[in-house]
């Protein structure tokens, strides 16, 4: 949103509970429009996307509750929004997905993300999939959490042996990629972009790198994925689940950008590394 506003584009943020937009009279930027709508309510979509040149679907779900299921949110609702955008004459539709999305996965979450991509492409020919790696930034649920825990815990528990490969990407770099795609500022007509950071780490290496950046010593210990699954089963039904089984499933799989797909480089974006993100987190604290 801020990337679009910075480019003097009138951006419309759609959510079920939009914040009251306050215009900064000292700024010459155009304010964003806050619109109330629900992706699970098809009748509200036409008004939400009407008059737009580009639509970005960033709705996601980690824990199923009531009518909010992976099938309903990631597949059916995404397809309905894409169809509403097509019918409204929207020029570009961008679906925020994720590296590793796979319609044939045994994980309900990962499968739904993959099937959602297929449904969106069918509803909106020419739609672009943006698949970020694990996203990082101040107040995120990943790097910020690791940074806090390496300071608190005498022994840091790893997912499995800590060998899962990750290529964390700064969230604002992904936002800039989405912005450029929404504005048609891409030199390729590819339908999939995988956005990842400048370096690949094993999970163990990432934890140690974060500890090094914070000047703390860390001792890691492997914890079997079966144990994490049991913990996630017990915690994911809490109002603010800190760990879900779907997140455990994601940590079983390498999360690295495919070499044969375009990404940040093709959009002329220089990705920022973990060192920069840690400095931002420290500054925000």
């Amino acid at each position: 949103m801020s990337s679009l506003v910075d480019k003097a584009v009138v951006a419309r943020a759609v959510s079920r509970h939009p914040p009251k937009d306050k215009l900064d009279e000292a700024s010459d930027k155009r304010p964003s429009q806050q619109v109330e709508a629900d992706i699970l309510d098809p009748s509200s979509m036409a008004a939400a996307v009407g008059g737009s040149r580009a639509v970005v679907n960033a709705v996601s779900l980690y824990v199923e509750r009531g009518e909010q299921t992976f099938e309903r949110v990631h597949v059916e609702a995404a397809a309905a929004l894409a169809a509403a955008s097509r019918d409204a004459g929207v020029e570009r539709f961008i679906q925020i997905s994720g590296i590793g999305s796979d319609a044939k996965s045994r994980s309900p979450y990962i499968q739904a993300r993959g099937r959602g991509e297929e449904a969106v492409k069918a509803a909106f020919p020419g739609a672009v999939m943006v698949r970020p790696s694990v996203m990082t930034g101040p107040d995120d649920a990943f790097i910020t959490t690791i940074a806090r825990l390496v300071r608190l815990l005498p022994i840091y528990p790893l997912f499995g042996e800590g060998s899962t490969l990750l290529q964390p990407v700064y969230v604002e770099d992904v936002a800039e990629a989405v912005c450029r795609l929404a504005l048609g500022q891409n030199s390729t007509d590819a339908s999939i972009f995988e956005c990842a950071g400048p370096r690949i780490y094993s999970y163990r290496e990432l934890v140690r790198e974060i500890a090094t950046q914070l000047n703390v010593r860390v001792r890691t210990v492997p914890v079997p994925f079966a144990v994490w699954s049991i913990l996630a089963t017990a915690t994911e039904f809490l109002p603010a689940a800190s760990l879900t089984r779907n997140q455990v499933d994601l940590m079983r799989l390498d999360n690295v950008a495919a070499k044969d797909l375009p990404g940040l480089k093709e959009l002329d974006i220089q990705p920022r590394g973990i060192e920069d993100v840690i400095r931002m987190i420290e500054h925000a604290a």
Side-chain angles (χ1 to χ4, degrees):
M1 174 65 76
S2 61
S3 295
L4 289 168
V5 172
D6 287 344
K7 292 178 173 57
V9 174
V10 176
R12 184 183 302 166
V14 182
S15 64
R16 289 181 298 166
H17 307 291
K20 292 183 179 180
D21 190 31
K22 296 181 179 180
L23 173 61
D24 183 358
E25 297 181 353
S27 172
D28 59 0
K29 297 178 182 177
R30 300 182 186 183
S32 62
Q33 301 173 356
Q34 305 293 336
V35 178
E36 182 176 356
D38 188 344
I39 198 170
L40 298 181
D41 177 14
S43 65
S44 68
M45 292 186 192
V49 303
S52 299
R53 296 184 61 184
V55 171
V56 179
N57 180 22
V59 177
S60 185
L61 181 73
Y62 272 120
V63 180
E64 295 179 303
R65 288 193 174 93
E67 68 173 354
Q68 297 184 18
T69 66
F70 298 139
E71 177 72 16
R72 185 76 179 87
V73 173
H74 291 303
V75 184
E76 296 174 5
L81 179 60
S85 300
R86 177 201 64 213
D87 294 343
V90 171
E91 297 175 16
R92 303 180 186 91
F93 188 92
I94 299 168
Q95 172 80 1
I96 308 297
S97 185
I99 290 178
S101 297
D102 182 0
K104 297 180 180 179
S105 172
R106 290 185 295 178
S107 164
Y109 170 79
I110 297 172
Q111 180 189 115
R113 294 309 295 261
R115 293 182 59 243
E117 288 187 0
E118 295 175 350
V120 166
K121 289 178 183 177
F124 194 110
V128 175
M129 307 297 127
V130 173
R131 297 174 178 168
S133 180
V134 57
M135 289 190 281
T136 66
D139 297 323
D140 71 352
F142 189 64
I143 298 297
T144 302
T145 300
I146 296 175
R148 183 176 72 252
L149 293 179
V150 295
R151 283 177 163 144
L152 294 175
L153 301 178
I155 299 177
Y156 189 94
L158 298 173
F159 284 95
E161 296 292 328
S163 58
T164 302
L165 298 180
L166 304 169
Q167 197 172 359
V169 62
Y170 179 46
V171 63
E172 292 295 337
D173 291 337
V174 177
E176 180 62 24
V178 171
C179 175
R180 295 185 186 189
L181 288 168
L183 296 175
Q185 298 174 347
N186 50 301
S187 58
T188 172
D189 58 359
S191 62
I192 300 175
F193 287 78
E194 294 203 341
C195 301
R199 180 177 167 185
I200 297 172
Y201 301 84
S202 70
Y203 183 64
R204 183 191 306 106
E205 290 171 340
L206 180 61
V207 170
R208 291 176 177 171
E209 177 64 23
I210 293 170
T212 298
Q213 293 295 324
L214 296 173
N215 294 314
V216 299
R217 299 180 63 182
V218 63
R219 180 184 174 190
T220 59
V221 59
V223 176
F225 279 102
V227 174
W228 286 111
S229 295
I230 293 171
L231 291 173
T233 301
T235 64
E236 70 179 23
F237 297 105
L238 297 175
S242 58
L243 181 68
T244 71
R245 285 171 291 179
N246 299 295
Q247 290 170 321
V248 174
D249 286 341
L250 288 172
M251 285 304 301
R252 294 176 185 268
L253 306 172
D254 291 343
N255 196 258
V256 176
K259 294 181 179 180
D260 59 345
L261 290 175
L264 296 179
K265 178 181 178 181
E266 286 72 20
L267 293 169
D268 296 322
I269 298 171
Q270 183 64 41
R272 280 162 278 196
I274 289 298
E275 302 86 352
D276 296 323
V277 175
I278 293 296
R279 280 195 290 271
M280 295 177 201
I281 292 173
E282 290 292 274
H283 180 74

